[in-house]
Every structure is written in structure tokens, then in C-alpha cells.
């Protein structure tokens, strides 16, 4: 059969899976990745801003905790609602809207004069941020060819390290520079509001979602644009494509199907992994600058340590991106979670600047590699008709842990200091490592288009 005949008789999904990596894939990846990096910059900045405001506004540990936790309340709601909206209205539309919401709210945070106004705006920031991340990973996974899908999602997640590094640079150079340094940091976080317009008009909608919604002409046009980028000749569509029945068609059906016989085990394990990883990650990394200050390091030095620790995220992502297509999703995720558990124990008991930095870099390496694997495996657990819903609700459950974690850090520090705190984080990482084996490994397998 000729290439043209093969294409004419193939489904849109099969045609996408056969493609090499092209400039169109790069555009989707970098376009989504820049939004991801800007998200990370916002989350990272708040850890530095909390440390600065605690001194400037004389905040109690509980008040400082709520600055972090109220954002995670918004994230939990945003992730759950955002996934449902993305399955109903499209991936690109919701992605752009979420960037706009949290970009505007972050910029407005630069103008606040007190804690109450800041908490309200941080909640709004969380709504946008929580919805954006699972939608973006779903969006990129639906364009990525099957043989490299996991690797591309890990690379997408690696943009998080870029954003967090930018946050660390702003935290190191901008926040300590003046009394209003934290306001300038928030102002820089408003950049996503402008970027939202680029996302809305510059990126294509998911062809799989368009086909699922019966918009076959638009789906065909999107797939052809990717084939053209690969140098394949255009082939007229041979009639209306056959689309498999949807796994779910309404909001209620989508939520119910997550717990049907086919999906209940993977949903339970996925939610447990998301909960445990969020608890340990946000409990540790939101508080690392403040913990270093309480251990006797001044603000500038603690921010410098955090910057160095953050740089270890990039090689963590790189190794995970390679292993995820060699070992598979479950093995890679589990190994990196075990590494995170061991690193957490070493960080909690580290003494001296060298020990703190080395243990922190190991924690950064393994934890962010685990995040990359988790974002790669999550969209693969569900069919197209509820993929964003499943990803969003898993992320939403995880955000419950990120709400709780910053609030329990102060009492744990009082009870047993950093050693006890990081042993608790290690236990959560270990539980997540075990739960990862309940997930389905779809390395190299086409996405479920029901």
C-alpha cells in the first residue's frame, strides 16, 4: 500500500502517532512549556516572598502558612473544574483562560497593602494555576507520537525547572534589593496575562478532542498541518472517519466513569500518588528558604542555597525523560520516588552548608524527575472523552495535600525540627512509590480515543 493510501485509510490518531517530531510539535511543546515555566515562576516566587513578608509584616508562622495554603485551595478547585471544562470546551481555550486569570491576579498582588487582600488574590491565582497544569499535559500528550509521548511530557514538565530557576533568580536579586522587592517580583509574575493571548491564537486545538466533538473538518486540518510539517503530501479525507463510542459524554458520566470497574484501581492509585507527592514536595520546597533562615543563614544566603538546589531539577528531568521510554512509566516513577524519600532523610539531618546543598540537590533531582514521570503517566490513564477530567481530578486531589502540607510544617518543626519534618516527607514519598505500581504502563501504546 502506498503512503497516500495508508494515510487515507488511517484514523487521525494513527496518522499523528506515525509522524516524526516536527517544528509543529516543537511549537506545541514550547508554547505550552513557556506557560508551564511561568506557572512555576509564580509558585516559586511565593516561597521567597513568604520569607520576606514574614519579616517585613511581622507575620506569625500560621499567617505565613496561609499565604501558601490559600493558593493551593484555589489550585484544588481549579484543577478539578479546569479538567471538566477542557473536556467540554477544548484544551487550548481553557489553557489560555487559566493563564489570563492567574497572570492578572499575580500582577494585582503587587499592589496589596495587607494580608487579607493578598490571601484573596492568592486564591484567584490558585484557580488559574491549578487548572492550567493538567490541561497542558493533556494537550501535549494528544499531539505527541506514541513512541515518544512520555519523553515529550517529561520535557514539558522540565519547563517547571526553568520557571523555578527564574523565581530563584528573582528571589536572590530582586526581593532583597529593596523594601518593595517582593512587589516587583509579583509584577513580573503578571507576564502570563499577555502570553495568554499568544496561546489562544498561536496554537492549534487538539485534533483528538475536535474529532471526539464531531468537528471532523477542523481535526483533519490540524492533522494535515502536522503532516505538511513532516514533508508528507496532502491526501483528501476518504469520507467521514469512524470514531469509537465515547467512554463518557456528560459531566456526571465522566465523574462516574473514573470509578467504574475499568478505571477504579488506576484512579485510586493515581490519586494516592498525587496526594503523597504534593504533600512532600510543597511541604518541603515552599518552606526551604524559611527553614534555612531559621537554621541561622541570612536571607540572601538562604536564597542563594535555594537557587543552587533548584538547578539540580534540570538533570533530574533529563534522566527521567530518557528512562521513561527505556524502563517505562511505573518503574521510572517508583525509582525516582524512592530516591526522593532517601534524599529527604539526608536533607533533614544535613549539617553545614555543603551537606545542606548536596542533600537539597539530590532531593531536587529525584523529586522533579518523579514529577515529570507522574505528569507523563496521568493523561495516559484515561480515554480522550474524559482525559482532562481524569487528569484534573487527580491533580485536584493532590492539591488537597498541598493545602495541608504548609500548615503542618510549623507544628512539626516545633515538635521535632527539620529531621522529624523530612522523615514525614520521606514516608509520603515511599507510599507514593508503592502506589505507582497500581498504574497502567502505556509506554509506546496509542492513546485510548474513546
Amino acid at each position: 500500500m502506498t503512503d497516500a493510501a495508508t494515510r487515507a485509510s488511517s484514523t487521525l490518531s494513527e496518522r499523528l502517532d506515525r509522524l516524526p517530531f516536527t517544528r509543529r510539535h516543537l511549537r506545541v511543546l514550547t508554547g505550552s512549556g513557556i506557560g508551564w515555566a511561568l506557572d512555576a515562576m509564580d509558585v516559586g516566587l511565593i516561597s521567597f516572598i513568604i520569607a520576606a513578608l514574614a519579616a517585613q509584616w511581622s507575620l506569625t508562622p500560621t499567617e505565613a502558612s496561609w499565604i501558601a495554603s490559600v493558593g493551593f485551595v484555589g489550585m484544588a478547585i481549579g484543577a478539578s473544574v479546569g479538567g471538566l471544562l477542557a473536556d467540554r470546551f477544548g484544551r487550548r481555550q481553557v489553557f489560555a483562560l487559566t493563564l489570563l486569570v492567574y497572570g492578572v491576579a499575580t500582577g494585582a498582588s503587587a499592589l496589596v497593602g495587607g494580608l487579607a487582600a493578598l490571601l484573596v488574590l492568592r486564591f484567584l491565582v490558585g484557580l488559574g494555576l491549578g487548572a492550567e497544569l493538567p490541561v497542558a499535559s493533556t494537550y501535549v500528550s494528544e499531539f505527541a507520537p506514541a513512541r515518544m509521548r512520555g519523553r515529550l511530557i517529561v520535557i514539558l514538565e522540565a519547563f517547571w525547572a526553568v520557571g523555578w530557576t527564574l523565581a530563584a533568580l528573582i528571589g536572590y536579586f530582586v526581593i532583597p534589593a529593596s523594601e518593595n522587592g517582593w512587589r516587583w517580583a509579583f509584577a513580573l509574575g503578571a507576564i502570563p496575562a499577555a502570553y495568554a493571548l499568544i496561546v489562544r491564537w498561536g496554537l492549534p486545538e487538539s485534533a483528538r478532542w475536535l474529532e471526539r466533538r464531531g468537528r471532523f473538518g477542523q481535526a483533519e486540518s490540524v492533522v494535515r498541518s502536522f503532516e505538511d510539517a513532516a514533508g508528507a503530501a496532502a491526501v483528501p479525507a476518504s469520507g467521514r472517519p469512524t470514531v469509537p463510542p465515547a467512554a463518557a459524554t456528560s459531566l456526571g458520566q465522566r465523574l462516574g466513569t473514573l470509578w467504574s470497574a475499568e478505571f477504579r484501581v488506576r484512579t485510586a492509585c493515581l490519586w494516592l500518588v498525587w496526594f503523597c507527592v504534593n504533600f512532600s514536595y510543597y511541604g518541603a520546597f515552599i518552606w526551604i528558604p524559611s527553614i534555612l533562615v531559621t537554621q541561622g543563614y541570612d536571607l540572601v544566603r538562604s536564597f542563594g542555597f535555594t537557587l543552587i538546589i533548584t538547578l539540580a531539577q534540570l538533570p533530574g528531568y533529563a534522566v527521567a525523560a530518557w528512562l521513561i521510554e527505556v524502563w517505562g512509566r511505573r518503574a521510572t516513577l517508583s525509582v525516582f520516588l524512592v530516591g526522593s524519600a532517601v534524599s529527604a532523610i539526608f536533607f533533614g539531618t544535613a549539617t553545614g552548608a555543603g551537606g545542606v546543598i548536596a542533600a537539597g540537590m539530590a532531593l531536587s533531582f529525584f523529586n522533579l524527575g518523579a514529577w515529570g514521570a507522574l505528569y507523563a503517566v496521568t493523561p495516559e490513564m484515561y480515554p480522550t472523552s474524559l482525559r482532562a477530567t481524569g487528569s484534573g481530578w487527580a491533580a485536584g486531589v493532590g492539591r488537597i495535600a498541598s493545602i495541608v502540607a504548609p500548615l503542618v510544617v510549623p507544628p512539626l518543626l516545633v515538635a521535632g525540627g527539620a529531621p522529624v519534618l523530612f522523615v514525614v516527607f520521606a514516608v509520603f514519598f515511599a507510599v507514593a512509590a508503592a502506589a505507582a505500581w497500581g498504574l497502567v504502563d502505556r509506554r509506546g501504546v496509542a492513546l485510548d480515543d474513546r
Side-chain angles (χ1 to χ4, degrees):
M1 183 181 289
T2 66
D3 180 63
T6 299
R7 290 179 57 207
S9 63
S10 299
T11 66
L12 294 179
S13 298
E14 289 169 342
R15 288 160 59 187
L16 284 171
D17 281 338
R18 276 201 302 267
L19 290 173
F21 186 79
T22 69
R23 66 180 185 275
R24 293 285 290 173
H25 292 99
L26 181 62
R27 186 177 179 184
V28 166
L29 181 63
T30 56
S32 302
I34 291 171
W36 202 290
L38 292 170
D39 283 1
M41 186 176 76
D42 179 89
V43 175
L45 278 176
I46 201 62
S47 68
F48 296 99
I49 289 170
I50 287 172
L53 287 182
Q56 191 176 130
W57 286 1
S58 300
L59 300 176
T60 67
T62 300
E63 288 172 332
S65 298
W66 271 110
I67 296 176
S69 288
V70 75
F72 296 130
V73 173
M75 285 185 185
I77 298 171
S80 303
V81 174
L84 290 167
L85 292 176
D87 277 333
R88 173 65 180 84
F89 297 106
R91 294 24 172 155
R92 182 184 66 171
Q93 307 278 41
V94 176
F95 183 43
L97 178 62
T98 59
L99 286 168
L100 186 63
V101 168
Y102 97 81
V104 171
T106 297
S109 299
L111 306 176
V112 300
L115 181 61
L118 180 59
L119 292 177
V120 171
L121 288 170
R122 290 308 301 171
F123 174 77
L124 295 176
V125 168
L127 284 178
L129 179 59
E132 190 274 330
L133 297 179
V135 172
S137 60
T138 297
Y139 175 71
V140 174
S141 72
E142 291 183 344
F143 279 111
R147 66 188 177 281
M148 65 180 78
R149 185 174 59 242
R151 184 163 295 158
L152 292 184
I153 299 301
V154 177
I155 293 172
L156 170 68
E157 178 36 22
F159 279 87
W160 184 271
V162 175
W164 200 283
T165 302
L166 287 174
L169 290 170
I170 293 170
Y172 186 72
F173 291 107
V174 176
I175 294 177
S178 69
E179 185 177 338
N180 290 319
W182 63 271
R183 296 185 186 274
W184 286 109
F186 272 137
L188 289 171
I191 293 173
Y195 181 69
L197 298 177
I198 300 174
V199 172
R200 172 63 181 83
W201 299 112
L203 297 178
E205 182 54 89
S206 165
R208 295 175 192 267
W209 180 83
L210 288 169
E211 184 181 51
R212 182 78 268 160
R213 302 297 295 183
R215 294 157 64 175
F216 303 113
Q218 290 173 271
E220 173 69 24
S221 178
V222 170
V223 174
R224 283 192 188 181
S225 71
F226 278 77
E227 291 173 331
D228 290 343
V235 175
S238 56
R240 180 169 171 154
T242 301
V243 181
T249 57
S250 66
L251 185 152
Q253 285 181 355
R254 290 187 182 101
L255 295 178
T257 303
L258 294 180
W259 292 99
S260 65
E262 180 179 0
F263 298 109
R264 65 169 64 108
V265 172
R266 67 184 76 172
T267 295
C269 290
L270 193 62
W271 285 19
L272 183 57
V273 174
W274 271 90
F275 186 91
C276 292
V277 172
N278 270 272
F279 182 90
S280 295
Y281 174 78
Y282 286 105
F285 281 87
I286 287 293
W287 278 95
I288 279 179
S290 299
I291 290 171
L292 292 174
V293 169
T294 63
Q295 291 181 344
Y297 300 104
D298 61 41
L299 196 65
V300 173
R301 198 175 185 201
S302 73
F303 284 4
F305 284 177
T306 306
L307 173 58
I308 296 170
I309 289 169
T310 299
L311 293 175
Q313 296 180 7
L314 287 169
Y317 283 124
V319 174
W322 174 63
L323 289 177
I324 203 163
E325 300 294 3
V326 177
W327 288 356
R329 280 57 162 148
R330 288 181 301 194
T332 302
L333 177 57
S334 184
V335 167
F336 273 81
L337 286 170
V338 171
S340 299
V342 174
S343 301
I345 294 173
F346 279 114
F347 185 84
T349 56
T351 57
V356 168
I357 291 174
M361 291 180 72
L363 182 59
S364 234
F365 175 92
F366 284 109
N367 198 186
L368 276 297
W371 270 116
L374 181 56
Y375 269 105
V377 74
T378 299
E380 296 179 347
M381 293 299 98
Y382 303 105
T384 299
S385 57
L386 67 146
R387 183 168 296 123
T389 298
S391 299
W393 274 75
V397 169
R399 298 309 177 190
I400 296 172
S402 62
I403 296 166
V404 175
L407 296 175
V408 304
V409 167
L412 283 174
L413 284 173
V414 171
V420 169
L421 176 66
F422 280 85
V423 165
V424 171
F425 293 151
V427 170
F428 275 80
F429 280 133
V431 171
W437 291 95
L439 304 178
V440 175
D441 197 318
R442 297 184 64 85
R443 176 180 51 154
V445 179
L447 290 174
D448 185 343
D449 281 321
R450 287 179 294 164

